[in-house]
Amino acid sequence: MNNVVLIGFMGTGKSTVGKKIAERLGFSYIDTDEVIEKTEKKKISEIFNEYGEKYFRDLETEVIKTLQDYDHFIIATGGGMVLRDENVKMLKALGPLVLLYTNPDVIFERIKSVQNRPLIEEDKLDKIKEILKQRDPIYSKVADFKVDTSLLAIDEVVDIILKELKK
Ligand code: S3P
């Protein structure tokens, strides 16, 4: 195994789980949103507001291109990263795609107090449901395996993923 790629919607625990898996496996951790914020020197919400979604999606594709030689990394991706086939292809070359998912109500509870979340600024629960309806088939199709994080503690999610990776 070279790397592990975490995919899934906002609030499904990708960064928290990713950091823990990295610790347990002795891998490094990288978050594509953080790379973009660092290189652009702007918050994701500012990038969306100032340049629009397409510009942000292009930045995501650029980040994945720069990761092609990475080895022994846990890569947490933004929730929309797998919407482009091109990105999925490059991610698959890096390692297995692990989908973290949960139901809209849990996502809502986890992110309701967070301001400046592009795409779900208003009518949050409805927006979450609407976007998930479009994305769920894509997430499921591209994932090598998936874990429902709704009722699990972080360490349980990590254990399940580590067990799956050993298979
Ligand atoms: C997005 C998810 C965010 C971030 C951006 C767009 C999406 O990442 O990339 O706001 O389209 O689902 P997280 O899933 O890490 O919150």
Side-chain angles (χ1 to χ4, degrees):
M1 182 198 353
N2 297 326
N3 306 283
V4 180
V5 181
L6 296 177
I7 64 166
F9 200 65
M10 314 170 194
T12 50
K14 290 169 292 181
S15 0
T16 320
V17 168
K19 283 175 194 159
K20 286 242 169 171
I21 302 177
E23 248 174 56
R24 296 266 294 267
L25 290 176
F27 281 25
S28 303
Y29 170 81
I30 191 166
D31 177 321
T32 58
D33 282 342
E34 282 174 14
V35 175
I36 290 173
E37 290 193 331
K38 238 185 234 162
T39 48
E40 294 291 298
K41 298 188 182 67
K42 280 181 200 291
K43 292 266 158 222
I44 303 287
S45 55
E46 290 169 342
I47 300 173
F48 265 78
N49 287 339
E50 290 176 30
Y51 307 111
E53 182 172 353
K54 157 97 173 47
Y55 181 88
F56 174 74
R57 299 295 173 207
D58 288 341
L59 291 176
E60 286 191 307
T61 303
E62 286 313 308
V63 173
I64 295 302
K65 283 184 187 159
T66 67
L67 304 184
Q68 290 304 291
D69 295 331
Y70 275 46
D71 197 12
H72 291 80
F73 269 81
I74 305 300
I75 303 164
T77 61
M81 180 64 90
V82 296
L83 299 179
R84 284 191 182 174
D85 289 345
E86 177 188 11
N87 297 355
V88 172
K89 223 169 156 188
M90 289 191 282
L91 290 172
K92 289 251 175 196
L94 286 167
L97 268 54
V98 179
L99 170 65
L100 302 187
Y101 71 99
T102 181
N103 65 60
D105 298 305
V106 174
I107 291 175
F108 177 70
E109 282 307 315
R110 287 182 187 163
I111 67 178
K112 67 179 175 193
S113 57
V114 183
Q115 296 302 315
N116 294 324
R117 281 275 192 182
L119 308 176
I120 51 161
E121 276 145 349
E122 285 151 33
D123 302 326
K124 284 193 170 105
L125 184 57
D126 285 344
K127 269 277 155 59
I128 292 167
K129 285 182 180 164
E130 187 188 316
I131 301 175
L132 278 178
K133 216 169 155 188
Q134 298 163 1
R135 288 191 187 170
D136 275 343
I138 303 171
Y139 286 144
S140 293
K141 186 177 129 209
V142 304
D144 291 292
F145 65 90
K146 40 187 182 175
V147 184
D148 183 351
T149 67
S150 330
L151 299 173
L152 298 174
I154 300 293
D155 284 321
E156 290 174 309
V157 177
V158 171
D159 285 341
I160 292 171
I161 295 173
L162 291 176
K163 214 165 146 190
E164 278 295 326
L165 291 171
K166 276 192 198 143
K167 280 186 187 165

